[in-house]
Amino acid sequence: MKKLSILLIGLSVAACSVCEQERHPNRVDSILTVLNDPGTSSVLVVAHRGDWKHSVENSLPAIQNAIDMRVDVVEIDVRRTADGRLVLMHDATIDRTTNGQGKVAELTLDSIKKCRLKALDGSFTECQVPTLDEVFELSREKIMLNIDKGYAIFDEVYALADSMGVTRQIIMKGTQPVERVMEDFGPYLGEVIYMPIVNLDREGTAEAIAGFQEGIRPLAYELLFKNDTSTLPLKIKEELAGKTLIWYNSMWNGMSGSRYDDRAETQPDEVYGSLIDTLGARIIQTDRPGPLIEYLESRGQH
């Protein structure tokens, strides 16, 4: 199996979670309603590694922040420890994000839990590396989970999600052709959401999308392209209109042409507005979920 991108701290957070649940019951139901409506005008917001700019990436506080601001999906990175536990970690090692060292695959959960996550300024926080079951419990019925780096271990991811009753909150994505997806994930496709990742700069885009439309009819496609000169995004928008949703990323320049978060600070219409109106995006993944939600609310789309 290859790559698939298959999305507390105390009494104050617990109380906040209770209040949020009371204000917005059945949050996942409302998100799934949008995901299943190819004609929706609403735009779903995906927080890349959680709301990490105001917390720590792939941490429970980052996910809680996303829940509190009514983000729809949180993207998380999952890896397996030496003793078979699933934890959140983007890199193969814990060196960059914690005060520890070593490869996740060669460390036990106990040794990883002794480490502390780094803040943006490089200082060490009191946050630990969370386990996936901790994330499932925190996010239950509150937010969808896009699980990245989980393709090779998805049997284990699914088993844990199933045991905790959160399979309907799982989104998995990948670059594999439809035949490989159906072979590898056939048993799961009725239980979790699968979205193909299609790079519009590569050959065979139209054929790949046609294959998925015939094979599994996904709820959405994540589309990538580097340059604004590309004409394919407009063609794909027309082709998929009324059939499925389109997901674009705004984290960095070159993921959706020149439509990226830093530029959106001063030109939100040229970035977020263009993704929505010109390219047909109904799902946007961002490193700045707060400003994106404010923009969408001003347009009546969130």
Side-chain angles (χ1 to χ4, degrees):
M1 287 185 166
K2 298 180 182 178
K3 175 185 174 186
L4 174 81
S5 197
I6 304 228
L7 348 159
L8 245 87
I9 324 191
L11 293 177
S12 61
V13 170
C16 183
S17 298
V18 170
C19 292
E20 180 68 13
Q21 189 172 17
E22 290 175 351
R23 289 197 305 270
H24 305 292
N26 302 318
R27 179 77 175 110
V28 169
D29 285 344
S30 65
I31 299 168
L32 287 171
T33 297
V34 176
L35 280 171
N36 281 277
D37 180 8
T40 186
S41 62
S42 297
V43 179
L44 299 176
V45 174
V46 185
H48 180 235
R49 304 183 199 174
D51 181 36
W52 62 269
K53 284 186 176 290
H54 300 101
S55 183
V56 183
E57 69 174 68
N58 280 312
S59 69
L60 293 181
I63 296 170
Q64 184 64 59
N65 285 355
I67 291 170
D68 291 343
M69 66 175 65
R70 289 178 60 75
V71 164
D72 304 291
V73 184
V74 63
E75 184 265 359
I76 55 177
D77 303 288
V78 178
R79 294 187 182 273
R80 181 175 54 199
T81 67
D83 51 346
R85 295 297 300 275
L86 301 178
V87 298
L88 268 60
M89 183 63 56
H90 178 272
D91 303 351
T93 74
I94 65 172
D95 300 28
R96 176 179 65 87
T97 56
T98 79
N99 61 344
Q101 292 183 323
K103 295 181 179 179
V104 176
E106 297 176 357
L107 297 169
T108 64
L109 178 63
D110 283 347
S111 61
I112 290 176
K113 281 291 190 181
K114 292 176 182 177
C115 301
R116 292 296 178 268
L117 289 168
K118 290 181 183 178
L120 278 176
D121 62 4
S123 62
F124 296 109
T125 71
E126 291 303 308
C127 297
Q128 297 175 311
V129 175
T131 60
L132 187 56
D133 51 298
E134 290 174 328
V135 173
F136 283 164
E137 189 59 46
L138 174 63
S139 63
R140 185 184 301 277
E141 294 303 318
K142 299 171 186 173
I143 198 168
M144 301 293 289
L145 300 166
N146 173 204
I147 297 181
D148 197 6
K149 307 191 183 306
Y151 199 107
I153 55 175
F154 192 74
D155 289 342
E156 296 163 62
V157 172
Y158 179 85
L160 179 60
D162 187 47
S163 71
M164 297 185 67
V166 297
T167 55
R168 76 188 192 122
Q169 292 175 239
I170 302 300
I171 296 174
M172 54 185 186
K173 299 200 271 55
T175 59
Q176 295 73 20
V178 64
E179 297 82 8
R180 181 64 184 271
V181 171
M182 294 177 72
E183 177 184 348
D184 291 341
F185 290 94
Y188 306 123
L189 293 177
E191 304 296 328
V192 300
I193 295 171
Y194 181 83
M195 299 179 184
I197 301 173
V198 179
N199 188 331
L200 301 183
D201 295 331
R202 295 179 180 171
E203 294 290 334
T205 293
E207 294 80 3
I209 290 177
F212 275 106
Q213 285 299 101
E214 182 179 349
I216 64 174
R217 296 188 65 83
L219 296 183
Y221 290 85
E222 177 183 323
L223 303 180
L224 304 168
F225 67 96
K226 288 185 178 180
N227 300 313
D228 292 338
T229 54
S230 175
T231 59
L232 271 178
L234 293 176
K235 293 179 180 179
I236 297 300
K237 173 191 173 183
E238 294 178 2
E239 181 179 329
L240 297 179
K243 300 176 183 177
T244 185
L245 303 182
I246 294 175
W247 169 318
Y248 276 113
N249 301 304
S250 64
M251 292 91 74
W252 310 298
N253 191 4
M255 299 190 81
S256 303
S258 65
R259 302 163 182 88
Y260 60 102
D261 287 337
D262 285 351
R263 183 184 172 201
E265 281 194 282
T266 56
Q267 298 177 299
D269 289 328
E270 287 76 5
V271 177
Y272 302 138
S274 178
L275 287 173
I276 298 163
D277 299 330
T278 304
L279 302 186
R282 292 298 179 266
I283 308 172
I284 299 176
Q285 181 173 202
T286 176
D287 279 327
R288 298 180 180 179
L292 175 55
I293 288 174
E294 289 179 7
Y295 179 78
L296 293 174
E297 288 178 340
S298 72
R299 293 167 50 113
Q301 291 183 281
H302 192 269

